[in-house]
Amino acid sequence: MMYGIGAFLIGIVWADGRHESLLVYGGVLVSACILYFVLKKRFRLVAFLCMLLFMATIGALRLQWAENAYRALPERVVHTTAYLEGTVTEVKGTYDTDEGKKTRYVMALQSYTLDGEAPSSGKGSFYVTLRGDHTYKPSTRLGLYAKTKPIRYYKNPGVYDAYHRDREKGIFFQAYEQKEGSLRILEEPQGM
């Protein structure tokens, strides 16, 4: 059991350092499975190694699947000024700046409108920084004009955890409220 868990973790590290297509990992998975069943009675050690390869490939597939889902997020929203609609999922905190108090949230993107285009449905999440210290509760649906930027991860060992946390939650950009007074509450929080 411990060997299988170790192989699974090695597979995750393998996929994190080397991004292959799902077909490559699927081919390795099927090959390991076939070799295991063919060799399990005559060559137990080789069959055991095939089982470890199978577990490592399962780990690699899991990480690559999540990576593909993250890459499918609508990246064209980044580096624009857009009208965004979404639902607050998490309140990150309030802090002071030269311009006054600001509050940061995580929002699930439901739709976005770029200049001159029709609204598009969105998926994934983003960080949004709003003016003031008014706190919007999770499940509040908001609409706002915002300037969007990619998330920057600086060369800091602790950032590795932030990077993977953001990818796991589907957070792929950050937004800053652009037009004063453009923030609208589209729907009050549910269940409050």
Side-chain angles (χ1 to χ4, degrees):
M1 180 70 150
M2 292 302 290
Y3 291 116
I5 293 170
F8 184 82
L9 295 174
I10 288 170
I12 289 173
V13 172
W14 173 31
D16 191 36
R18 186 178 172 98
H19 300 287
E20 300 288 344
S21 75
L22 292 177
L23 291 175
V24 170
Y25 291 127
V28 173
L29 184 79
V30 169
S31 299
C33 197
I34 290 170
L35 283 173
Y36 173 78
F37 285 111
V38 168
L39 301 173
K40 73 178 180 179
K41 292 197 178 180
R42 297 190 76 208
F43 302 101
R44 289 187 182 273
L45 180 60
V46 176
F48 178 72
L49 293 175
C50 288
M51 187 267 309
L52 292 179
L53 180 61
F54 175 83
M55 290 302 294
T57 307
I58 292 284
L61 268 170
R62 162 66 182 92
L63 192 71
Q64 192 61 44
W65 188 281
E67 177 72 18
N68 289 355
Y70 186 80
R71 289 178 189 256
L73 296 172
E75 288 187 24
R76 66 192 211 103
V77 176
V78 182
H79 293 295
T80 63
T81 299
Y83 176 73
L84 307 170
E85 289 185 0
T87 302
V88 174
T89 58
E90 189 178 339
V91 180
K92 296 303 276 184
T94 301
Y95 57 94
D96 290 317
T97 67
D98 295 339
E99 301 168 0
K101 288 191 179 269
K102 293 191 177 186
T103 306
R104 192 167 195 206
Y105 302 90
V106 175
M107 288 180 61
L109 181 64
Q110 293 169 332
S111 70
Y112 62 94
T113 306
L114 301 177
D115 290 335
E117 292 185 11
S120 302
S121 64
K123 58 183 175 177
S125 296
F126 62 98
Y127 291 114
V128 64
T129 302
L130 303 176
R131 294 181 181 100
D133 59 354
H134 177 78
T135 304
Y136 297 99
K137 296 179 180 175
S139 78
T140 304
R141 199 161 160 262
L142 301 174
L144 71 145
Y145 283 94
K147 183 174 178 98
T148 63
K149 296 180 179 180
I151 300 171
R152 286 208 172 87
Y153 300 101
Y154 298 99
K155 293 184 179 183
N156 177 346
V159 173
Y160 179 85
D161 295 334
Y163 171 80
H164 284 86
R165 179 201 62 223
D166 289 349
R167 289 176 102 63
E168 183 179 308
K169 291 183 176 185
I171 300 170
F172 66 106
F173 69 94
Q174 52 192 347
Y176 299 91
E177 183 181 10
Q178 193 63 23
K179 296 180 182 176
E180 187 76 47
S182 72
L183 179 68
R184 297 182 318 174
I185 297 175
L186 303 174
E187 195 174 308
E188 293 293 332
Q190 302 298 311
M192 299 289 155

